[in-house]
Amino acid sequence: MVILRCRFLTINLAPLRPSHFQSHKLLHTTRFFRTPNLISTPRITSCSLPTTRSISDEARFARSVLFIPPGVEIEELTDDMVLPGSNIVIGPFAGHSQIKQVEFVKSSARARDCPKDDLPEIAILGRSNVGKSSLINCLVRKKEVALTSKKPGKTQLINHFLVNKSWYIVDLPGYGFAKVSDAVKTDWSAFTKGYFLNRDTLVCVLLLIDASVPPQKIDLDCANWLGRNNVPLTFVFTKCDKMKAAKGKRPDENIKAFQQIIRENFKQHPPWILTSSVSGLGRDELLLHMSQLRNYWDQ
């Protein structure tokens, strides 16, 4: 049993039965920074290092469960270096993370039309109705910076928001439930994939996963595509405040099931973090993680 330290959430990570998503088992090796020099092998979760292991056993354990960024020696790991509600270790590249200023710059229908000022950017992607716009508004602490709608799939362009005049949050179209024409869906796939593959300033993709529902095949397909194409990603679980499920499984059970599937599909488990746009859970921790990604990319 591995216990996840969080503000109010405990997840039992006992082994699950083989997943019905076994057909996705491609064992991707994923980069977590847009750089050839990454040295980390995160897997599934613990925010508390054991105290009874030898140095070599502890190092092996840490490498199997944590996202360890460049600049961190395993022998120097302490419990307070791991962000609560995540498997992310904070290293020397973590810096100023608070958002003081944000402004909308432009919407682009094609990747080649995006800003060309070479500033680092972190893209946010997820299934329609996953809470993408709500998370962006929570991060910047301004209402309606990203338009929220009761109709999923309203974002159909690549939207750039300049943060602190130094980096971008990129709001990408949601996939899944959008009620748009087949032609628009085709264009979405083409220009979004073009953005991922050709955008040199892309630091990382935050792939949002709805914790209030069981693992969705469309999310796993997206994660597998990003993994196959070596696109750096971090899993961001949304709606983690919904601890009681009216029907179906609880968020902690859904998260455990999703992580088990990812373990079966990826040689290295990408970084992940729990969030809630309602309670603010994970906001500051996610911003700190984003800061170390940007700073390492920008060195």
Side-chain angles (χ1 to χ4, degrees), residues 10 19 23 37 46 50 53 55 70 78 98 129 133 136 149 156 180 184 192 201 214-215 237 272 295:
T10 298
S19 166
S23 60
N37 298 318
S46 172
R53 300 173 185 260
I55 293 297
T78 60
Q98 294 306 306
N129 206 32
S133 296
I136 293 175
S149 172
Q156 296 176 18
V180 296
V184 173
T192 303
T201 53
F237 293 99
W272 60 265
N295 291 337

Side-chain angles (χ1 to χ4, degrees), residues 78-222:
T78 60
D79 182 74
D80 58 5
M81 293 173 65
V82 186
L83 293 176
S86 80
N87 70 334
I88 299 168
V89 174
I90 288 299
F93 291 98
H96 175 72
S97 61
Q98 294 306 306
I99 293 178
K100 296 183 177 181
Q101 182 180 6
V102 60
E103 58 181 296
F104 171 75
V105 174
K106 68 178 299 187
S107 295
S108 306
R110 297 170 298 183
R112 64 176 178 267
D113 297 329
C114 292
K116 298 178 174 60
D117 50 14
D118 294 329
L119 293 178
E121 49 195 54
I122 294 180
I124 301 182
L125 176 68
R127 184 167 51 88
S128 297
N129 206 32
V130 73
K132 178 164 57 70
S133 296
S134 296
L135 178 66
I136 293 175
N137 292 335
C138 177
L139 290 175
V140 303
R141 284 187 170 162
K142 290 186 179 181
K143 295 182 178 179
E144 298 183 354
V145 168
L147 180 64
T148 58
S149 172
K150 294 182 179 179
K151 295 182 179 180
K154 297 299 289 184
T155 302
Q156 296 176 18
L157 297 170
I158 303 173
N159 299 305
H160 276 75
F161 299 90
L162 182 62
V163 180
N164 297 343
K165 296 187 180 298
S166 61
W167 61 281
Y168 286 107
I169 288 176
V170 184
D171 184 9
L172 295 174
Y175 52 84
F177 299 136
K179 295 181 179 179
V180 296
S181 68
D182 290 339
V184 173
K185 288 182 180 179
T186 301
D187 289 343
W188 179 92
S189 177
F191 82 71
T192 303
K193 290 181 178 179
Y195 169 83
F196 291 138
L197 298 177
N198 301 311
R199 193 68 176 162
D200 292 337
T201 53
L202 177 62
V203 175
C204 179
V205 174
L206 303 183
L207 181 57
L208 274 52
I209 306 297
D210 187 345
S212 68
V213 299
Q216 302 292 301
K217 181 178 181 297
I218 193 170
D219 292 330
L220 297 166
D221 287 343
C222 183

